[in-house]
Amino acid sequence: MSNRRTPEELLAENAELRQRLADAEETLRAITSGEVDALVINTKSGETVFTLQDADTVYRIAIESINEGVITLSPEGSILYSNGCFAQMVGADLNTVIGTSVFDFVTPDSRDPLAGMLALDSSSGEITVRSKDGVLVPTYFATKRLQLDNLPICAVVTDLTQQKRSQEAIAALKQAEQLKDEFIGLVSHEIRTPLTVMIGALSVAMSDGIAPEDARSLLLDAKSGSESLNHIVDNLIELSRYQSHRLSLQKQLIDIAAVVRGFAEKERIHTSQHHLVLDVPQDLPQIRADRFRVELVLVNLVSNAVKYSDEGTEIRLSVRQAPGSLVISVSDRGIGIPAERQASLFRPFQRLEDPSKPVKGLGLGLLVCKRLVEAHGGKIWVESQPGQGSTFSFTLPA
């Protein structure tokens, strides 16, 4: 078979090549004369013309692909263009975003700062965006006025959510580290005090020639120190169990009136400088509760009443029935608590300062009370006025 082309075919091919050459010459002329924005780039396959249309396509693909919100605004704030990332950020369909005012997507307190940014040739700052479903998104706006007709403004919007979370996590870790250091210091001090009393009292009591009555007094001091130490350890154990989700209540039917009276009899030894008064009705129903944990709550509340009230004053321990619960209260006639301090009392390491005397303790007792009461399904609160004493109450389901 012959591969020769006919004269007609050769003429047609020649005409096509002439036309392509003419087109190329015209393109080069337009480029060199500035009529067309383009670059001629040397590639492996030869010279390639890269036009403005190609660059615009690449630019748009890049803008749509980045993980930043990009919008073009009118000077008044109308959104002329938005990429998909910004639409996703505000939780709206892209078609509904374009044409909407950008101020519709920011919180009221961010509108004036954003308006101030748009009035400048370039600016930046943090703006809180509100999505369509009400989610607040912390963002960083960087704006630039473009030197085009009508002076549109380009804004790049960065979502700061992860950055803020990281900052909050770092701050929380620093606070936890500080609390840990404070906790170790407080525990060391509070444990050392009763230990010092115990060791000193026992050492002297064992000395030769000590009178029996003096030895007895020293042994009582040692006993008091051991009870203080036991109180600290009990609170630390309960908090540790709660933090590690190992707090397990041993509930059983108990006669709360008998529990409170028995507790008062034992506690009178430690409250001999105060008048412990009971107000406990006889006809209270039995409840399901952890007796040891209920007594630990009472120990902490009465201990606080002793710390913050003068010797010789009354401490009242009362129980009353309420719909669906029993309300147990410990009242004193001490220094009272300012209203602004009452909510913080149930947080770690919170202690009131008594200007008339130093106050011992870790500031954990009320936190332990809160955890144990809530574990029973109850609640705890305080009613107090400065100079008129305080009443701490808690409920147990009945």
Side-chain angles (χ1 to χ4, degrees):
M1 181 181 294
S2 175
N3 291 327
R4 292 183 178 180
R5 286 177 288 182
T6 65
E8 290 79 7
E9 290 174 336
L10 291 172
L11 288 172
E13 182 179 352
N14 186 48
E16 181 183 354
L17 290 173
R18 286 178 178 276
Q19 183 59 48
R20 290 173 63 183
L21 177 60
D23 291 342
E25 289 176 343
E26 175 60 23
T27 299
L28 290 173
R29 185 198 66 75
I31 293 173
T32 55
S33 64
E35 296 177 15
V36 176
D37 289 328
L39 291 174
V40 178
I41 300 175
N42 290 318
T43 65
K44 292 181 179 179
S45 59
E47 292 183 337
T48 299
V49 178
F50 190 73
T51 67
L52 181 61
Q53 181 178 2
D54 299 322
D56 184 65
T57 301
V58 173
Y59 170 78
R60 285 185 175 274
I61 293 174
I63 291 299
E64 289 297 333
S65 302
I66 63 174
N67 292 324
E68 309 279 345
V70 179
I71 51 178
T72 303
L73 306 171
S74 71
E76 296 75 29
S78 295
I79 299 176
L80 308 175
Y81 164 81
S82 169
N83 70 347
C85 183
F86 181 80
Q88 184 178 8
M89 197 180 296
V90 298
D93 184 80
L94 182 59
N95 293 329
T96 63
V97 171
I98 296 174
T100 305
S101 172
V102 70
F103 295 103
D104 291 346
F105 296 114
V106 302
T107 56
D109 59 340
S110 289
R111 288 172 185 164
D112 285 345
L114 180 56
M117 292 168 60
L118 298 184
L120 302 174
D121 286 340
S122 64
S123 185
S124 61
E126 292 191 15
I127 298 293
T128 302
V129 167
R130 185 190 297 276
S131 69
K132 285 294 187 181
D133 54 4
V135 176
L136 300 183
V137 183
T139 67
Y140 185 83
F141 268 63
T143 62
K144 177 71 175 178
R145 189 177 303 279
L146 305 178
Q147 299 305 312
L148 300 173
D149 293 340
N150 300 320
L151 298 177
I153 300 165
C154 180
V156 177
V157 186
T158 304
D159 188 340
L160 299 180
T161 302
Q162 292 300 324
Q163 180 180 333
K164 294 290 186 182
R165 287 175 181 170
S166 299
Q167 291 173 347
E168 291 170 359
I170 292 172
L173 286 173
K174 289 181 178 178
Q175 184 180 19
E177 188 71 19
Q178 182 180 354
L179 286 174
K180 183 194 73 173
D181 293 341
E182 292 177 4
F183 175 73
I184 292 174
L186 282 169
V187 170
S188 300
H189 173 75
E190 293 300 325
I191 289 179
R192 187 183 297 113
T193 300
L195 276 177
T196 301
V197 171
M198 291 166 59
I199 294 171
L202 290 174
S203 297
V204 175
M206 294 172 63
S207 301
D208 294 335
I210 191 77
E213 58 273 18
D214 292 336
R216 176 177 174 77
S217 176
L218 289 167
L219 290 175
L220 288 175
D221 289 341
K223 180 175 180 292
S224 176
S226 67
E227 290 170 344
S228 297
L229 185 58
N230 185 65
H231 183 201
I232 293 171
V233 172
D234 282 342
N235 280 335
L236 292 175
I237 289 174
E238 293 304 305
L239 282 180
S240 174
R241 286 173 175 162
Y242 177 85
Q243 292 295 112
S244 59
H245 307 287
R246 293 186 296 107
L247 180 60
S248 177
L249 300 180
Q250 306 300 316
K251 288 186 177 182
Q252 57 184 333
L253 277 177
I254 62 172
D255 181 349
I256 194 65
V259 170
V260 172
R261 291 192 185 97
F263 165 79
E265 287 302 314
K266 292 184 294 184
E267 197 65 19
R268 281 195 171 95
I269 299 174
H270 307 292
T271 59
S272 57
Q273 304 299 321
H274 294 74
H275 300 299
L276 185 58
V277 178
L278 290 182
D279 182 8
V280 183
Q282 295 288 344
D283 56 346
L284 294 173
Q286 288 191 325
I287 61 172
R288 290 191 62 81
D290 186 321
R291 179 177 186 139
F292 170 76
R293 268 54 182 260
V294 172
E295 289 186 347
L296 183 55
V297 173
L298 292 173
V299 166
N300 280 314
L301 294 181
V302 171
S303 174
N304 278 352
V306 170
K307 289 178 185 176
Y308 293 102
S309 59
D310 293 333
E311 293 181 2
T313 58
E314 178 184 287
I315 296 175
R316 180 173 293 270
L317 184 53
S318 62
V319 184
R320 62 181 173 86
Q321 195 165 358
S325 66
L326 294 179
V327 181
I328 304 168
S329 301
V330 176
S331 303
D332 63 58
R333 297 180 180 176
I335 62 174
I337 306 166
E340 63 272 13
R341 287 294 313 278
Q342 293 177 16
S344 66
L345 289 177
F346 297 96
R347 299 173 188 163
F349 314 125
Q350 296 297 316
R351 295 186 301 177
L352 284 177
E353 297 300 328
D354 187 346
S356 65
K357 59 182 177 180
V359 177
K360 298 179 181 179
L362 292 175
L364 295 176
L366 289 177
L367 177 62
V368 171
C369 292
K370 178 178 172 67
R371 300 296 188 228
L372 295 180
V373 168
E374 290 178 348
H376 277 86
K379 61 180 182 178
I380 186 169
W381 67 95
V382 60
E383 299 168 281
S384 181
Q385 291 185 4
Q388 298 185 25
S390 305
T391 296
F392 284 86
S393 303
F394 66 96
T395 61
L396 294 174

